[in-house]
Amino acid sequence: MEEAYQILVVDDDFSIVNIIETSLKQAGYQVLTAHDGETAYHIVNTNHPHLIIMDVMMPQCNGILATMRIRQNNNVPILMLSAKAEGSDRVIGLEAGADDYLVKPFYQQELLARVKALLRRYDDLGSIRETKTDDEIRVGNISLNTATKQLIVRGESVRLTATEFKILKVLMSNPNRVYSAEEIYERVWKSNNYAVENTVMVHISRIREKLELNPKKPEYLKVVWGIGYVFETP
């Protein structure tokens, strides 16, 4: 239920925090707030929110640094906000560990849609509340359990974000099938969008770092230039 979800809003602009907080509360969410990355980091460790809405430009500890610190031991969904629409800024945010990126100014409906999609993806990743029978997808020595949402790489457990799990599930469910960036985006983010290549590419790069012995020469997760991505059987 939406009212059970707790969302942390982080922005040094008090007026933006108030607007987002009001919108989220009207939608039935519980809201925590912070105005710098350092405070946000401590709130995450003590209150364990279900989702973070994180501004990029903030004093003391900006959104990029805060996201990187949070990602060291937490897979909570992070929606990054920025006044910059350049592709390079989007890539930096995603590489830091954000799941999605929204440019200011934005429509309230779009923000709520992104929030719902990220929370749904997080629930798909699973938590201690889940009780399902095992359902394993295995390709070579890579195993993805869709019940426990656990990735095992060469016998070692690897932490995934909810977005990374969904991408891997799509690709590993159909090994050797090539998916375009647009198709991956539609299946994982559950929406159509333009210029999604950078977003998907950054997530693919992060997944490679977690499962490939040499990410620059991947054994499994490969790019088919000009077409898309494929999870190959060895």
Side-chain angles (χ1 to χ4, degrees), residues 37-38 41-42 61 64-73:
E38 186 68 29
Y41 176 74
H42 290 296
C61 176
I64 300 295
L65 294 176
T67 296
M68 292 173 67
R69 291 183 66 188
I70 291 167
R71 274 291 173 259
Q72 290 176 1
N73 56 16

Side-chain angles (χ1 to χ4, degrees), residues 9 16-25 53 81 106 111:
V9 180
I16 290 179
V17 170
N18 289 337
I19 291 171
I20 296 176
E21 181 179 12
T22 299
S23 178
L24 291 173
K25 285 184 174 179
I53 299 175
L81 304 180
F106 48 80
L111 174 69

Side-chain angles (χ1 to χ4, degrees), residues 88-202:
S88 59
D89 293 296
R90 184 187 302 266
V91 169
I92 291 171
L94 293 171
E95 285 182 338
D99 293 274
D100 206 352
Y101 191 101
L102 191 58
V103 177
K104 301 176 183 177
F106 48 80
Y107 291 107
Q108 174 181 325
Q109 293 86 346
E110 182 178 10
L111 174 69
L112 292 176
R114 299 286 186 97
V115 166
K116 288 180 180 179
L118 285 171
L119 288 172
R120 184 168 57 245
R121 217 174 305 153
Y122 185 61
D123 278 347
D124 285 343
L125 182 61
S127 69
I128 58 174
R129 296 171 293 176
E130 293 221 36
T131 54
K132 294 182 181 179
T133 57
D134 289 347
D135 187 6
E136 183 183 52
I137 304 171
R138 178 177 291 275
V139 180
N141 53 16
I142 309 294
S143 172
L144 186 69
N145 192 304
T146 59
T148 63
K149 312 304 187 279
Q150 184 178 34
L151 175 67
I152 302 295
V153 179
R154 302 173 189 88
E156 298 291 331
S157 179
V158 176
R159 179 187 294 273
L160 292 173
T161 67
T163 302
E164 291 164 355
F165 169 79
K166 293 289 283 185
I167 292 173
L168 263 183
K169 184 179 178 183
V170 168
L171 295 174
M172 290 184 66
S173 294
N174 294 281
N176 302 315
R177 181 196 188 288
V178 179
Y179 289 87
S180 68
E182 291 77 13
E183 188 173 5
I184 293 172
Y185 193 93
E186 289 174 7
R187 287 172 177 256
V188 173
W189 278 262
K190 303 297 183 183
S191 66
N192 298 313
N193 212 330
Y194 297 100
V196 301
E197 177 63 35
N198 278 345
T199 299
V200 174
M201 176 187 67
V202 172

